[in-house]
Amino acid sequence: MIGFAALAVLAGVLVGLSRQINGRLALSTSAMESSFWNHLIGLIFITLAAMAFGGLFAGEPAASPWWAYLGGPVGVIFIAAGSWLIARIGAAQTAMLIIAGQMISGVVLDIILGAPGNPLARSIGVALILAGMWVTRPTRNRD
Amino acid sequence: MTHAADAPRFYHFAAAFGAGGLLSLMVLFNGTLAAYGSLFFASWVPHLTGSVAALALLLFLRPKRAATVRPPLWTYLGGVSGALTVMLTSATMNTALALSGTIALGLAGQVLFSLFADIRGLFGLPQKMPGTRDYLSLALITAGSLIIIFFGGAA
């Protein structure tokens, strides 16, 4: 259990590490080029891993709805945005604002898709996140 | 790097928040793929279509290179770290941690690493000392996220 918890924390560290490295590549090239290399190198890595472990086409992948295949292009914009932002507002700000956007849009998506949820907990959570964003809101001549 | 990162401007703010929204869509799309195919497939497909889409955008937009000097080779390896993330989260999601525990602990790892990365200016990015406002904002956003993750789901 402790081992799996450590792996879950490590996964988060790897998200930050990836953004940091991609951000450095974008400093020398461009945000879009860093997003391209992120996807191509990741593709090669996953292909090799899938060849080693097998089962890439297991299940019924052909049965999935067409829109499920749109994650790639969306990810291109997401990685490019992260690479562009991290050199400008720092890793912590980038991470916190992305998490804020993910959480709030996640709640909105859940409501749209009709996923069951606790309205009170959702409201308190969203309110706290908005308060956190308010604290670092862009203002001129601050500090 | 002498120039410290600035406080976010409104367009930075909007871009980062919007990127978080894109992430929610990615989780929905890729998660749906994983429901029909293997976990490898759910990560392999977006990387494949993403590579094609990024190449098309590069050819279309032709962004200027920021520097004429080639960056160090290790800067091209961000994708390995990203691909490993998918495999790790897929592994822990099916343990007692479940999805909520996986997300919450991953969030903690990401926040702590990004603070450390800012303080040290890791991997050649600008150094940035977090201030009181940053820590307060971080505490509020983390608390709100944890409440949504652990209490927001079940009715």
Tab-separated table of all heavy atoms in Angstrom, chain A residues 137-143, chain B residues 7-9:
chain	number	residue	atom	x	y	z
A	137	ARG	N	-4.438	36.546	-8.212
A	137	ARG	CA	-4.994	37.186	-9.405
A	137	ARG	C	-3.999	38.210	-9.960
A	137	ARG	O	-3.216	38.808	-9.221
A	137	ARG	CB	-6.317	37.877	-9.094
A	137	ARG	CG	-6.161	39.130	-8.250
A	137	ARG	CD	-7.485	39.587	-7.701
A	137	ARG	NE	-7.330	40.778	-6.875
A	137	ARG	CZ	-6.927	40.747	-5.607
A	137	ARG	NH1	-6.616	39.598	-5.046
A	137	ARG	NH2	-6.821	41.864	-4.908
A	138	PRO	N	-4.022	38.401	-11.276
A	138	PRO	CA	-3.095	39.358	-11.871
A	138	PRO	C	-3.480	40.785	-11.489
A	138	PRO	O	-4.591	41.214	-11.712
A	138	PRO	CB	-3.295	39.147	-13.379
A	138	PRO	CG	-4.168	37.951	-13.527
A	138	PRO	CD	-4.906	37.782	-12.259
A	139	THR	N	-2.546	41.490	-10.880
A	139	THR	CA	-2.758	42.910	-10.606
A	139	THR	C	-1.459	43.628	-10.936
A	139	THR	O	-0.394	43.026	-10.944
A	139	THR	CB	-3.075	43.185	-9.120
A	139	THR	OG1	-2.112	42.503	-8.334
A	139	THR	CG2	-4.455	42.724	-8.743
A	140	ARG	N	-1.544	44.890	-11.197
A	140	ARG	CA	-0.324	45.649	-11.483
A	140	ARG	C	0.277	46.198	-10.196
A	140	ARG	O	-0.425	46.494	-9.238
A	140	ARG	CB	-0.632	46.784	-12.448
A	140	ARG	CG	-0.485	46.334	-13.896
A	140	ARG	CD	-0.616	47.491	-14.824
A	140	ARG	NE	-1.996	47.973	-14.864
A	140	ARG	CZ	-2.357	49.074	-15.512
A	140	ARG	NH1	-1.456	49.790	-16.139
A	140	ARG	NH2	-3.609	49.461	-15.530
A	141	ASN	N	1.565	46.330	-10.184
A	141	ASN	CA	2.303	46.938	-9.070
A	141	ASN	C	2.021	46.271	-7.738
A	141	ASN	O	1.831	46.928	-6.721
A	141	ASN	CB	1.970	48.438	-8.951
A	141	ASN	CG	2.259	49.158	-10.235
A	141	ASN	OD1	3.205	48.804	-10.941
A	141	ASN	ND2	1.452	50.150	-10.551
A	142	ARG	N	1.928	44.948	-7.775
A	142	ARG	CA	1.707	44.246	-6.512
A	142	ARG	C	3.053	43.951	-5.866
A	142	ARG	O	4.086	44.014	-6.507
A	142	ARG	CB	0.940	42.958	-6.802
A	142	ARG	CG	-0.032	42.596	-5.716
A	142	ARG	CD	-0.648	41.259	-6.028
A	142	ARG	NE	0.384	40.242	-6.179
A	142	ARG	CZ	0.172	39.073	-6.757
A	142	ARG	NH1	-0.987	38.809	-7.258
A	142	ARG	NH2	1.131	38.188	-6.850
A	143	ASP	N	3.036	43.616	-4.593
A	143	ASP	CA	4.234	43.250	-3.810
A	143	ASP	C	5.187	44.438	-3.680
A	143	ASP	O	5.864	44.778	-4.617
A	143	ASP	CB	4.985	42.063	-4.420
A	143	ASP	CG	4.104	40.824	-4.357
A	143	ASP	OD1	3.369	40.706	-3.368
A	143	ASP	OD2	4.147	40.008	-5.286
B	7	ALA	N	4.664	37.723	-11.827
B	7	ALA	CA	3.315	37.333	-11.419
B	7	ALA	C	2.515	37.174	-12.712
B	7	ALA	O	2.776	37.856	-13.696
B	7	ALA	CB	2.701	38.427	-10.553
B	8	PRO	N	1.565	36.238	-12.725
B	8	PRO	CA	0.860	35.977	-13.978
B	8	PRO	C	0.043	37.177	-14.435
B	8	PRO	O	-0.553	37.873	-13.637
B	8	PRO	CB	-0.035	34.791	-13.634
B	8	PRO	CG	-0.140	34.778	-12.160
B	8	PRO	CD	1.119	35.372	-11.634
B	9	ARG	N	0.059	37.426	-15.739
B	9	ARG	CA	-0.826	38.425	-16.334
B	9	ARG	C	-2.153	37.727	-16.600
B	9	ARG	O	-2.231	36.515	-16.530
B	9	ARG	CB	-0.235	38.915	-17.651
B	9	ARG	CG	1.181	39.358	-17.549
B	9	ARG	CD	1.215	40.827	-17.299
B	9	ARG	NE	2.598	41.254	-17.103
B	9	ARG	CZ	3.013	42.473	-17.389
B	9	ARG	NH1	2.176	43.340	-17.881
B	9	ARG	NH2	4.251	42.811	-17.160
